[in-house]
Amino acid sequence: MLPIYNVPDAQVSILKRRMVGERAYPERLLAGVERIFGEGVTPEQAVKRILESVRLEGDEALRRWSEKIDGVKLDSFRVPASSFAEAMGSLPPRLIEALRTAAERIRSFHRRQPIPSWEENGLGQRFTPVERVGVYVPGGSAPLPSSLLMSVIPAQVAGVEEIIVCTPPEPHPAILAAAAICGVESVYRLGGAQAIAAMAFGTESLPKVDKIVGAGNVFVTLAKKQVYGLVGLDGLAGPTETMVIADATANPDWVAADLLAQAEHDPLATAILLTPDLALAKAVQQAVERQLPRLSRREIIRQSLESNGGIVLVRDLDEAARLADEFAPEHLCLSVAEPRPLMDKIRNAGGFFLGEYSFEVLGDYVAGPSHVMPTSGTARFASPLNVYDFLKISSVIGLEPSLARELSAVSAEIAHAEGLTAHAAAAELRLGGAPLPTE
Amino acid sequence: MLPIYNVPDAQVSILKRRMVGERAYPERLLAGVERIFGEGVTPEQAVKRILESVRLEGDEALRRWSEKIDGVKLDSFRVPASSFAEAMGSLPPRLIEALRTAAERIRSFHRRQPIPSWEENGLGQRFTPVERVGVYVPGGSAPLPSSLLMSVIPAQVAGVEEIIVCTPPEPHPAILAAAAICGVESVYRLGGAQAIAAMAFGTESLPKVDKIVGAGNVFVTLAKKQVYGLVGLDGLAGPTETMVIADATANPDWVAADLLAQAEHDPLATAILLTPDLALAKAVQQAVERQLPRLSRREIIRQSLESNGGIVLVRDLDEAARLADEFAPEHLCLSVAEPRPLMDKIRNAGGFFLGEYSFEVLGDYVAGPSHVMPTSGTARFASPLNVYDFLKISSVIGLEPSLARELSAVSAEIAHAEGLTAHAAAAELRLGGAPLPTE
């Protein structure tokens, strides 16, 4: 089920990044769009229609789409205050405790991120929090209370005043418990493109936010792309990915378990092992077969591994590092004897997991860094969700008049070259040029 | 020409932020699209067509669009090495000197921005530079060598290895001189959506970049929006804006000159004064009339001020602060006796200009911070271009086995609640669960 590739074959198959427009939508998704929106409507057009209607009609449109798409009639969207306590009461205390531990570790990690406002001789950069943030928490096939913690807490650490959460109706109690644990009171039962529209434009029931973060299904992603620029975004999430680099010292059962954990997210998820050790490769292959039958999501795992997964036999760890750097995986697990020197050879990865005790699942829940990490190769330019996503910089310019005068002459020179005579005039006035002050 | 508003009237006119879809394209632009692309093609569709063809046909498509849109036949796109020296030689030495001073100050400012990689107990955040960056430098009605410096230098300070510049044919010598001054060798004569396409997808002549920065016309902005997610972006730029808050101590001629400088960029540019002082308001009105006739771009200025500019009479500086915070201007100039306490009341602005010697034009050229700042109210969530735009964070997770085991139990608990049994299994293996290691 987990094929072994040589490098050239892997580079044209599982290691090849697909470009925008090259990945077709699943048939089922297209059929769903056709059923709701009519023949020949693309997912992009469907999302555009949802956005437009929410912008113009507000709550009324939200109700209509929730009924048509999610099959629920909603009078109000906001989860009532009483539901949080009920949710907490309905869950096993050990789970509540685990979520609390996770929340504390996530908070403590993000509190260590420095907020480096500075000023020197009147010039500087000032960091201030974004005022209002919307967090999307997916429902879907596995409800993820961890996603709520991983998005909300970095925003709280940054000092965001108002955080609202949208999640599809009806939210799992664990999601409401996670909200209660981190003190979020505004949770709305809205999913898909309509949730993104509500947060981007505001309606009678929801305030317009300044920034939207969190991953969702393809409609969420298309909607985020369409409101990009109107609100800030954390990025566009693709299917999740783990790459493992392992040497002969790795435990094949553990490597197999880590690949299986990755694959169970989604048939589109990617789990790839790079190793120079053929014996390990074969042992991992066998361990995957052995472990699979007792996993509840084995059908999803099978689809994921067969379409996107595999083992790549590399010459040595240096070659593995080069391939990983080019692939720029969301998660990069270094299950090797000496992970740190290997990490130093690689620039592009959302998260580095050093050694086989720092396995990816710990990062999903409790290690501390946000599990919202850049996918689809965007680790080449993007970062895991972090405190800076919820801060913005203002440049500060407060110069001494003597220096300002000196620089005014320089500015006037460039302004004239750019043909901007009003710019030049503003500078020349500071040099005492005409028109002179009128007092 | 510069009308005086009370606050309620201003809030429904010049201070009202237009939402996406509410701003119509100018007739001339639509006519141009129709002429090249045929009847009924929207600017979005035209840009989509350009992107698709460049993705599929590479250089061939670039040649075709450059001829159709820019009216130039290009054999090669890259500016030959000899052109830089020629450009330097063709310009007045004082201008070269001014550009050098600007470059030095921009570099020195950005070098002060801390790069706060950290690690503690095996957890941390590692900053590394983006490998390849594309910078768009607009040509248009005023060639802006300053824009090249303001985008390229923060990338260089971040440690970006490869920077390529696209600018419409034929570039002004001052733009080539600016490239030479900061040591950029890869300049391509490509403008508009085709330039963005070339950098986003790569062609035979241009390498695919990881991130694209820099402002341009509406086609550039639409193209950036369409490639968002495939490459990183600095944001989507709208027309430039300056808000001035002034009290009775301000020099009305200087305030007028600053508003005029802003307005000369673009008929869509916004220049707004907030003041509690009616006498100052009237004096600025008169000064604008007096200064305008001798400015070369007076027609652009007139259009800008009449459509988007104005003076808002506020009750006091606190009210001005509240209105500015809500407007979130790109540039906020505090021409008041005590600018710092006023700044402390305002969160949302791309740049604060403190006192009337720190005027906006200094920021355009030589103060130090990048003049690429967030427009259209995006200062609520976005920052001026800075070193962090060219770095990305990787999370580092390298835990001690004893702590990892403890956290594995917590992870398994949450994984079970999420219905992710493969996640739980990976965690339980670290706790010594079956299947045991096979050695």
Side-chain angles (χ1 to χ4, degrees):
Chain A
M1 183 184 358
L2 199 62
I4 298 183
Y5 294 87
N6 61 32
V7 171
D9 288 348
Q11 284 181 310
V12 296
S13 57
I14 55 169
L15 292 181
K16 187 168 168 9
R17 288 288 186 189
R18 293 191 186 96
M19 288 221 287
V20 66
E22 287 185 342
R23 200 194 280 269
Y25 293 111
E27 276 305 320
R28 241 195 45 188
L29 186 149
L30 294 174
V33 169
E34 187 168 322
R35 185 170 42 78
I36 293 174
F37 294 87
E39 218 174 318
V41 175
T42 65
E44 285 84 356
Q45 290 165 337
V47 164
K48 190 168 187 182
R49 210 177 284 179
I50 295 171
L51 292 176
E52 270 303 283
S53 67
V54 173
R55 182 168 78 83
L56 297 172
E57 301 167 56
D59 282 355
E60 190 45 43
L62 293 180
R63 277 193 202 93
R64 202 165 65 239
W65 294 121
S66 296
E67 186 167 355
K68 275 195 181 175
I69 298 171
D70 296 325
V72 289
K73 285 204 177 198
L74 296 173
D75 286 325
S76 74
F77 308 109
R78 188 158 170 178
V79 173
S82 59
S83 301
F84 296 100
E86 273 169 41
M88 292 285 273
S90 75
L91 296 171
R94 282 182 52 181
L95 174 59
I96 302 284
E97 205 38 56
L99 290 172
R100 283 219 173 94
T101 302
E104 273 161 34
R105 289 192 56 91
I106 299 164
R107 198 174 301 279
S108 145
F109 177 86
H110 288 93
R111 280 199 178 136
R112 283 185 207 134
Q113 182 168 5
I115 300 180
S117 293
W118 63 273
E119 202 176 313
E120 218 179 294
N121 301 327
L123 292 174
Q125 293 176 311
R126 193 190 66 164
F127 287 73
T128 50
V130 174
E131 280 180 41
R132 198 183 281 143
V133 165
V135 172
Y136 188 83
V137 177
S141 69
L144 300 179
S146 52
S147 292
L148 187 145
L149 302 179
M150 293 288 185
S151 301
V152 164
I153 294 172
Q156 291 177 325
V157 171
V160 173
E161 269 172 25
E162 193 176 346
I163 298 173
I164 72 168
V165 168
C166 282
T167 192
E170 299 294 331
H172 190 281
I175 288 182
L176 299 184
I181 283 168
C182 58
V184 168
E185 291 165 1
S186 307
V187 178
Y188 295 87
R189 294 173 293 168
L190 285 166
Q194 58 270 31
I196 302 303
M199 295 192 279
F201 301 122
T203 71
E204 300 89 324
S205 296
L206 281 84
K208 175 184 180 347
V209 304
D210 301 311
K211 182 150 186 171
I212 298 175
V213 303
N217 65 14
V218 63
F219 297 102
V220 168
T221 304
L222 287 173
K224 283 174 76 177
K225 181 161 183 181
Q226 290 186 27
V227 299
Y228 174 65
L230 173 66
V231 293
L233 297 181
D234 56 341
L236 301 180
T240 179
E241 331 157 325
T242 287
M243 186 172 263
V244 181
I245 301 179
D247 62 15
T249 68
N251 180 325
D253 271 317
W254 294 15
V255 171
D258 294 347
L259 296 172
L260 290 163
Q262 179 58 30
E264 82 173 324
H265 278 288
D266 184 344
L268 296 176
T270 294
I272 294 173
L273 167 64
L274 309 181
T275 182
D277 193 85
L278 180 61
L280 180 83
K282 289 188 168 167
V284 169
Q285 256 186 336
Q286 289 159 11
V288 162
E289 299 289 347
R290 208 163 52 236
Q291 292 179 32
L292 183 70
R294 52 187 196 101
L295 298 173
S296 59
R297 294 165 71 89
R298 52 190 169 270
E299 270 321 302
I300 293 173
I301 294 173
R302 190 183 301 278
Q303 286 175 54
S304 157
L305 293 184
E306 284 175 356
S307 343
N308 315 306
I311 301 175
V312 185
L313 264 186
V314 293
R315 193 169 46 245
D316 50 28
L317 292 181
D318 276 354
E319 184 172 49
R322 274 197 307 279
L323 293 172
D325 208 26
E326 197 173 318
F327 192 73
E330 183 189 11
H331 309 108
L332 182 56
C333 306
L334 307 182
S335 295
V336 297
E338 299 283 352
R340 282 189 179 270
L342 189 57
M343 173 170 79
D344 292 342
K345 293 178 180 160
I346 301 167
R347 277 214 287 214
N348 302 318
F352 288 95
F353 295 79
L354 307 181
E356 51 186 352
Y357 269 101
S358 291
F359 56 113
E360 198 270 328
V361 167
L362 282 190
D364 283 344
Y365 294 122
V366 72
S370 178
H371 75 199
V372 181
M373 291 191 182
T375 55
S376 310
T378 60
R380 297 183 69 82
F381 56 82
S383 306
L385 199 68
N386 67 89
V387 174
Y388 296 170
D389 281 305
F390 303 102
L391 299 169
K392 65 271 189 320
I393 300 173
S394 296
S395 296
V396 177
I397 301 177
L399 301 172
E400 286 301 315
S402 57
L403 176 58
R405 268 192 222 101
E406 201 180 296
L407 298 179
S408 295
V410 177
S411 297
E413 190 71 40
I414 306 177
H416 280 300
E418 292 187 348
L420 296 177
T421 54
H423 279 62
E428 284 155 1
L429 274 180
R430 268 73 177 189
L431 293 165
L436 291 168
T438 47
E439 276 97 42
Chain B
M1 183 182 2
L2 200 62
I4 298 182
Y5 295 87
N6 60 32
V7 171
D9 288 348
Q11 285 181 308
V12 296
S13 57
I14 54 171
L15 292 181
K16 188 170 168 11
R17 286 288 186 190
R18 293 192 188 96
M19 290 222 285
V20 63
E22 289 185 341
R23 200 194 282 268
Y25 293 112
E27 274 307 318
R28 242 194 45 191
L29 186 148
L30 294 173
V33 169
E34 187 170 323
R35 184 170 43 78
I36 294 172
F37 295 87
E39 218 173 318
V41 175
T42 65
E44 284 85 356
Q45 290 165 337
V47 164
K48 191 169 186 178
R49 209 176 284 177
I50 294 171
L51 292 176
E52 271 302 285
S53 65
V54 173
R55 181 167 79 81
L56 298 172
E57 301 166 57
D59 282 355
E60 189 45 43
L62 292 180
R63 275 192 204 95
R64 202 165 65 238
W65 295 120
S66 296
E67 185 165 357
K68 275 196 182 176
I69 298 172
D70 296 325
V72 289
K73 285 201 177 201
L74 296 172
D75 286 326
S76 74
F77 307 108
R78 187 158 172 178
V79 172
S82 58
S83 300
F84 296 100
E86 274 169 40
M88 292 285 271
S90 75
L91 295 171
R94 282 182 52 179
L95 174 59
I96 302 286
E97 204 40 54
L99 290 172
R100 284 216 171 96
T101 302
E104 273 161 34
R105 289 193 55 93
I106 299 165
R107 197 172 302 279
S108 144
F109 177 87
H110 287 92
R111 280 195 177 142
R112 284 187 206 133
Q113 182 167 9
I115 300 179
S117 294
W118 63 273
E119 202 176 314
E120 217 178 295
N121 300 327
L123 292 174
Q125 293 176 310
R126 193 190 66 163
F127 287 74
T128 49
V130 173
E131 281 180 40
R132 197 183 281 144
V133 165
V135 172
Y136 188 82
V137 176
S141 70
L144 299 180
S146 53
S147 291
L148 187 145
L149 302 179
M150 293 289 184
S151 301
V152 164
I153 293 172
Q156 291 177 324
V157 171
V160 173
E161 269 173 23
E162 191 176 347
I163 298 172
I164 73 166
V165 168
C166 282
T167 191
E170 296 296 332
H172 190 279
I175 288 182
L176 299 184
I181 284 168
C182 56
V184 169
E185 291 167 1
S186 305
V187 178
Y188 296 88
R189 295 173 293 171
L190 285 166
Q194 57 273 27
I196 303 303
M199 295 192 279
F201 302 121
T203 72
E204 300 89 326
S205 296
L206 279 83
K208 175 182 178 350
V209 303
D210 301 311
K211 182 150 187 170
I212 298 175
V213 303
N217 65 13
V218 63
F219 298 103
V220 168
T221 304
L222 287 172
K224 283 174 76 177
K225 182 162 184 180
Q226 291 187 26
V227 299
Y228 173 65
L230 173 67
V231 293
L233 297 181
D234 56 341
L236 301 179
T240 179
E241 330 156 327
T242 287
M243 187 173 262
V244 180
I245 301 179
D247 62 14
T249 68
N251 181 326
D253 271 317
W254 293 14
V255 172
D258 293 348
L259 296 171
L260 290 162
Q262 179 58 30
E264 83 174 322
H265 277 290
D266 185 342
L268 297 176
T270 294
I272 293 173
L273 167 64
L274 308 181
T275 182
D277 193 85
L278 180 61
L280 179 83
K282 290 189 168 166
V284 169
Q285 257 187 335
Q286 289 159 12
V288 162
E289 299 290 347
R290 210 164 49 236
Q291 292 179 31
L292 183 69
R294 50 189 197 101
L295 299 173
S296 60
R297 292 164 72 90
R298 52 191 168 269
E299 270 321 303
I300 293 173
I301 294 173
R302 189 183 300 278
Q303 287 175 54
S304 156
L305 293 183
E306 284 174 357
S307 344
N308 315 306
I311 302 175
V312 185
L313 263 187
V314 292
R315 196 171 41 247
D316 50 28
L317 292 181
D318 277 354
E319 184 173 50
R322 275 195 306 279
L323 293 172
D325 208 24
E326 197 173 318
F327 191 73
E330 182 188 12
H331 309 108
L332 183 56
C333 307
L334 306 181
S335 296
V336 297
E338 299 283 351
R340 283 190 179 266
L342 188 58
M343 173 170 80
D344 291 341
K345 294 178 181 160
I346 301 167
R347 276 215 286 214
N348 303 317
F352 288 95
F353 296 79
L354 307 181
E356 51 186 352
Y357 270 101
S358 290
F359 56 112
E360 198 271 327
V361 167
L362 283 191
D364 284 345
Y365 295 121
V366 72
S370 177
H371 75 199
V372 181
M373 290 192 184
T375 55
S376 311
T378 61
R380 298 184 67 82
F381 57 83
S383 306
L385 199 68
N386 67 90
V387 174
Y388 295 170
D389 282 305
F390 304 103
L391 299 169
K392 67 269 188 326
I393 299 174
S394 296
S395 296
V396 177
I397 301 177
L399 301 173
E400 287 300 315
S402 57
L403 176 59
R405 268 192 221 102
E406 201 180 297
L407 298 180
S408 294
V410 177
S411 296
E413 190 70 42
I414 306 178
H416 281 301
E418 292 186 348
L420 296 177
T421 54
H423 280 60
E428 283 155 1
L429 274 180
R430 269 72 179 190
L431 292 164
L436 292 166
T438 47
E439 280 100 40

